[in-house]
Amino acid sequence: YRYVFLDNGTVEFHKNGKNQNTESKWSIVGNEVHRTSTNNNTVLVYRSNPDNSLTAIALIISGKRIDFPKEQQATTYIKIK
């Protein structure tokens, strides 16, 4: 799996090297990166790490933030370009 965060604020999701044509947007909010799914308005919140990787730390559903416990913050994405 690969998420591509484009400069225009959109996110592409690739599976097995193919773009899955899912729609989402991203933005920087304070020290976090928010990826918003345009089909259900759910927001996945990432922490930016010192090595430029992103770790999923919370989910926002209908405006309510649900923080993941530290032991469940294992999904980390690395910057490759």
Side-chain angles (χ1 to χ4, degrees):
Y1 298 105
R2 177 184 291 178
Y3 288 101
V4 180
F5 291 75
L6 301 173
D7 289 336
N8 67 2
T10 61
V11 180
E12 293 179 351
F13 172 62
H14 296 257
K15 183 177 177 182
N16 297 324
K18 295 182 182 179
N19 187 347
Q20 300 300 300
N21 296 315
T22 58
E23 299 235 355
S24 61
K25 304 275 184 196
W26 71 274
S27 61
I28 297 174
V29 179
N31 294 328
E32 301 172 337
V33 176
H34 288 200
R35 181 172 58 88
T36 304
S37 174
T38 55
N39 62 351
N40 63 8
N41 228 17
T42 300
V43 180
L44 187 56
V45 181
Y46 298 95
R47 174 185 66 234
S48 179
N49 301 311
D51 65 355
N52 290 323
S53 64
L54 297 175
T55 300
I57 61 167
L59 190 62
I60 301 172
I61 302 172
S62 300
K64 180 177 168 132
R65 181 177 172 132
I66 304 164
D67 290 310
F68 300 148
K70 284 279 189 196
E71 60 274 4
Q72 292 182 2
Q73 295 180 10
T75 304
T76 299
Y77 300 94
I78 58 170
K79 183 177 179 179
I80 57 173
K81 283 191 180 183

